[in-house]
Amino acid sequence: MFYAYIFLPFMSAILVPFLFKYFKHRVHTGWFVLLVPLSIFIYLSQYIPSVAAGGTYKYTLSWIPSLDVNIVFYVDGLSLLFGTLISGVGSLVIMYSIFYMSKAREALHNFYIYLLMFMGAMLGVVLSDNLLVLYGYWELTSVSSFLLISYWYERKSSRQGALKALLITVLGGFGMLAGFIILIMMANTYSIREMIASLEVIQSHVLFIPAMLCILLGAFTKSAQFPFGIWLPDAMEAPTPVSSYLHSATMVKAGIYVVARMTPIFGGSSVWFWLVAGIGIITLLYGSLTALKQTDLKAMLAYSTISQLGLIMCLLGVGSLAVYYGPGESGTIFTVAGFAALFHLFNHSTFKGSLFMVVGIIDHETGRRDIRYLGGLMQVMPITFTIALIGGLSMAGLPPFNGFLSKEMFFAAVNDVSKAGIFGLGSIGILFPIIAWVASIFTFIYCMIFIFKTFGGQYRPEKLTRKVHEAPWGMLISPVILAILVILIFFFPNVLGKYILSPALTAVLPTMQASSYDLKISAWHGINLELLMTFGVIVVGFLLFTTSKKWIQVMRNYPQGLTLNHWYNQALTGTERLSASLTNKYMTGSLRHYLIYIFSFFVIVLVSSLLLLYGIRFDFSNHAAISIFDVGLVLAMVIAACTVLFASNRIMAIVALGALGYMVSMFFVIFRAPDLALTQMVVETVSTLLFLLCFYHLPKLKKGIERIPFKLMNLIISIAMGLTVTLLALSANGHKLFEPITSFFENAYELAGAKNIVNAILVDFRGFDTMLEISVFAIAGLGVYILVHQRSKRREQYENE
Amino acid sequence: METLMVILVGILISVGTYLILSKQMLRIVLGVSIVGHAVNLLIITSGGLKMGTAPLLGETAPGFTDAIPQALVLTAIVINFAVTALVLVLCYRAYRNFGTDDMEQLRGNEHE
């Protein structure tokens, strides 16, 4: 039953094209697709009561049992929180997309297949217990995200955005794979459960830190943390339902999920705390600052997503301190930070999802997404405005919306960190609340810009491309549901806390006893530092917002050359150019250059291995005597070879080559090899004839066409080659490791009935060689025939001309 | 004797390599042919020289020369010849088609 739901998105994706084809003009395909996440949501909701009571479920599906790799799904609080988010927001997004995506114009089958693929992959990521399976699903989310971003593939910006997202997330994915493999090696198991059970082995291992860094690389790239966040704004080229689903509510939280999942393993170490909390808070500041400059609403929301993800990441880092302290008073304080992370994660999904849908509605109804053209939409789109107001104010952290609660808890957490006094926090811990506070001011300002530059001010219909009216009801359903959730959570946060967040927290921080801390979220908790900070945010933010015309222009003039995007582009084109020039440098297309590489490699490797590994020893003891006749023959051969070398005309070179061949056959006579001498003589005659036959057609040998450096290079290499071969042959000749096996073949008469041993070897003992040699000959003959007879197209052209 | 042969082989290899590295196609074919001879001589040499009589069972003298390198070289000679013939005709065709025998000019499109 469980598997049916988990694999439902993949299964139903197969059906989508058929549904699209048969109901093309009657029913929007999205209505069928809507059933999938809805049924998954309902199914997963059934787990909530039992998981809240502390139950966990494990489902194992055999996949590669011989390697111990099985598809293991594990349902606990954390995966259930994510699972319900994925299926719940997924249903709303598909509902929204039914009205957003045109039935007539869009390739809906592609859209819904990719979306379902993504949904299935994401469910797999959060439910997998086997690390390798988790990685598989993880890459599937990258791939489906790539497909969704480039959904309008005819646009250049879509393709570029998709490529960027893929490059960065897959880079991180590979890092994570490496980290997972290290982790698997350390713990000797694939299961996260069992890793947590054998913590001591992992934490004392040498590779503990490298594994952590690799896994964090994956988590940070996926969750768009600093400095890997640059892909997220470009991913806004995707259709708005995709941006809303993938790039605000689910996929970008996959990194956060991994960090939360790995907290029991890595949490408690200072590197983990500093990386997660430090990068998180930098991302928070960077995202909120950059969001201010944006004029495109979607880009603004993208940077705001980056910033909010940084906030959650920072809270998770702070929460990991609880692992360090263990159960106790200090531990409890930081456990609350972990709780805040999960709470804000949920809140962010609600309000950011609704805000993206609002932007989609504005885009859909006005044809514009740039705040410089928008304004005064309050009168024409009251419902959209209300949703935007709720979402925006919640994002800014104002009551009575859920963002307020999680922002208060965030402030409390960073205040606690500044007082913690471990991991070197004593001296610079105070930076945490300061940065958090400043970033919150920026967040407040861009939320105000988002709401009031779009909906407030002058209504200018002449600047908009369409006649503006309120969005259709279907498009409003999903954002309205999300906005209602935003308010409901503010008033009843403890319902959510008790049933969903507490069990999730137990999964993140299993060492903490759930009963030891009181997880009551209260909207009013007395006048304390956090409330004063929020008050300060509102006052300062409001002042800055009213004067924003003056200073925001200064921010927009920030030089392009210093942005992360610019560096990314430079690095991309730079590496491309570098590799191209590198390849062009050695792949010259000249045969001679390649031969030089090959020969040099041959010489260097052989000589150095001879000298370094074996040492050269010569042994001349067994050598035969030299007669005058031999010396004369050798000299004659050298002269013949040099004649070939220096010959200035073809005839001379060919005749000298022939002489060389005949002298080789004379050597065979001396060496008591009559068959060889015979063959060599015949072959040499025939090949000399062949040369002579061809020579009339062949070009004349030219002298002096090669320059001196060219010749010098050739000389050096050829002498080196000759010396290497000589050296090798000399050192090899002196050493016979064992007796040759020739004595066996001397039984040729008994075994093969032949008196000529060489011939017996050729046709009897080793007849296969001869057979294949004959086929070589046949193929060469055919080749020659074809080459001679096939008429060349180019030659015909010449002849026709 | 072996040392002398090895030195001869080295010289032949040098000459062959030099020819292979030159620009003209015909020289390359000549070079390949010379390297072929050198290798054949090297194989024979590595089997030991002048030890005993020719490997014919009718001979009465004690001991034969090593027959295996001879069989190997016999195969090598024939293959060498086949390859030389093919390459030679290939040269002829290339020259007829492209009108040049300069290897530096016979490169891919982007180098023309």
Side-chain angles (χ1 to χ4, degrees), chain A residues 248-523:
Chain A
S248 74
T250 51
M251 188 180 88
V252 286
K253 297 207 168 95
I256 290 186
Y257 167 79
V258 166
V259 169
R261 198 39 110 194
M262 293 290 156
T263 296
I265 299 175
F266 294 113
S269 87
S270 66
V271 182
W272 178 264
F273 166 76
W274 274 111
L275 277 176
V276 177
I279 298 273
I281 203 148
I282 291 171
T283 313
L284 169 65
L285 187 66
Y286 162 78
S288 58
L289 203 56
T290 320
L292 279 177
K293 310 192 290 188
Q294 308 302 321
T295 56
D296 180 34
L297 285 177
K298 262 180 130 181
M300 186 184 274
L301 285 183
Y303 279 109
S304 128
T305 303
I306 293 178
S307 150
Q308 302 281 315
L309 291 170
L311 193 158
I312 300 170
M313 202 60 101
C314 176
L315 278 173
L316 277 176
V318 176
S320 75
L321 286 179
V323 182
Y324 175 82
Y325 282 113
E329 198 186 332
S330 324
T332 309
I333 293 174
F334 294 111
T335 310
V336 178
F339 184 77
L342 298 174
F343 187 40
H344 194 69
L345 181 137
F346 193 90
N347 292 347
H348 179 251
S349 295
T350 56
F351 65 70
K352 192 51 68 65
S354 72
L355 285 179
F356 266 110
M357 291 176 188
V358 163
V359 172
I361 291 172
I362 295 171
D363 194 10
H364 202 264
E365 301 305 325
T366 65
R368 293 280 188 194
R369 235 167 49 192
D370 197 311
I371 50 170
R372 286 170 299 189
Y373 298 102
L374 295 168
L377 295 178
M378 203 190 293
Q379 298 98 315
V380 276
M381 306 167 92
I383 303 173
T384 316
F385 168 67
T386 314
I387 301 163
L389 194 70
I390 294 170
L393 291 182
S394 174
M395 183 158 72
L398 296 187
F401 308 110
N402 59 6
F404 171 73
L405 302 175
S406 42
K407 185 77 61 119
E408 291 290 281
M409 295 173 86
F410 172 58
F411 282 151
V414 286
N415 285 336
D416 291 334
V417 164
S418 67
K419 285 179 244 148
I422 50 158
F423 298 156
L425 275 168
S427 46
I428 51 172
I430 190 70
L431 276 177
F432 272 90
I434 294 174
I435 297 176
W437 190 69
V438 173
S440 295
I441 293 174
F442 292 141
T443 308
F444 182 83
I445 301 170
Y446 72 68
C447 291
M448 293 300 119
I449 293 176
F450 178 81
I451 301 168
F452 293 108
K453 289 269 152 86
T454 342
F455 293 98
Q458 206 74 40
Y459 178 50
R460 294 166 297 177
E462 72 281 357
K463 289 214 169 187
L464 306 174
T465 51
R466 288 176 206 158
K467 198 168 162 2
V468 184
H469 48 77
E470 184 56 273
W473 61 271
M475 230 175 191
L476 287 169
I477 293 177
S478 307
V480 163
I481 292 175
L482 286 172
I484 289 171
L485 262 179
V486 167
I487 299 173
L488 274 183
I489 291 171
F490 177 80
F491 287 108
F492 308 102
N494 292 316
V495 179
L496 178 77
K498 187 181 168 208
Y499 284 103
I500 295 185
L501 298 182
S502 290
L505 190 63
T506 315
V508 179
L509 302 167
T511 50
M512 309 303 292
Q513 306 301 316
S515 53
S516 71
Y517 47 86
D518 184 23
L519 283 175
K520 283 276 177 281
I521 314 163
S522 46

Side-chain angles (χ1 to χ4, degrees), chain B residues 4-22:
Chain B
L4 190 68
M5 287 310 294
V6 166
I7 291 169
L8 175 67
V9 166
I11 292 171
L12 288 183
I13 292 264
S14 283
V15 172
T17 311
Y18 188 89
L19 284 169
I20 288 174
L21 284 172
S22 67

Side-chain angles (χ1 to χ4, degrees), chain A residues 702-715:
Chain A
K702 280 164 275 185
K703 280 259 142 187
I705 55 164
E706 291 150 355
R707 295 206 197 89
I708 298 293
F710 184 92
K711 285 185 175 173
L712 205 65
M713 184 77 190
N714 290 1
L715 193 68

Side-chain angles (χ1 to χ4, degrees), chain A residues 20-95:
Chain A
F20 177 70
K21 203 179 166 196
Y22 291 121
F23 299 99
K24 196 171 182 180
H25 301 293
R26 283 169 284 169
V27 188
H28 195 285
T29 319
W31 288 114
F32 302 107
V33 178
L34 182 60
L35 295 174
V36 176
L38 214 56
S39 55
I40 297 174
F41 181 72
I42 292 166
Y43 177 72
L44 285 179
S45 301
Q46 293 168 357
Y47 281 92
I48 291 176
S50 56
V51 169
T56 53
Y57 297 87
K58 192 175 162 194
Y59 300 90
T60 308
L61 201 62
S62 179
W63 183 27
I64 316 173
S66 58
L67 293 175
D68 216 13
V69 178
N70 295 311
I71 302 177
V72 181
F73 293 117
Y74 186 80
V75 184
D76 64 354
L78 188 63
S79 41
L80 197 61
L81 164 66
F82 274 90
T84 45
L85 263 184
I86 291 160
S87 51
V89 180
S91 324
L92 295 175
V93 161
I94 286 172
M95 176 80 200

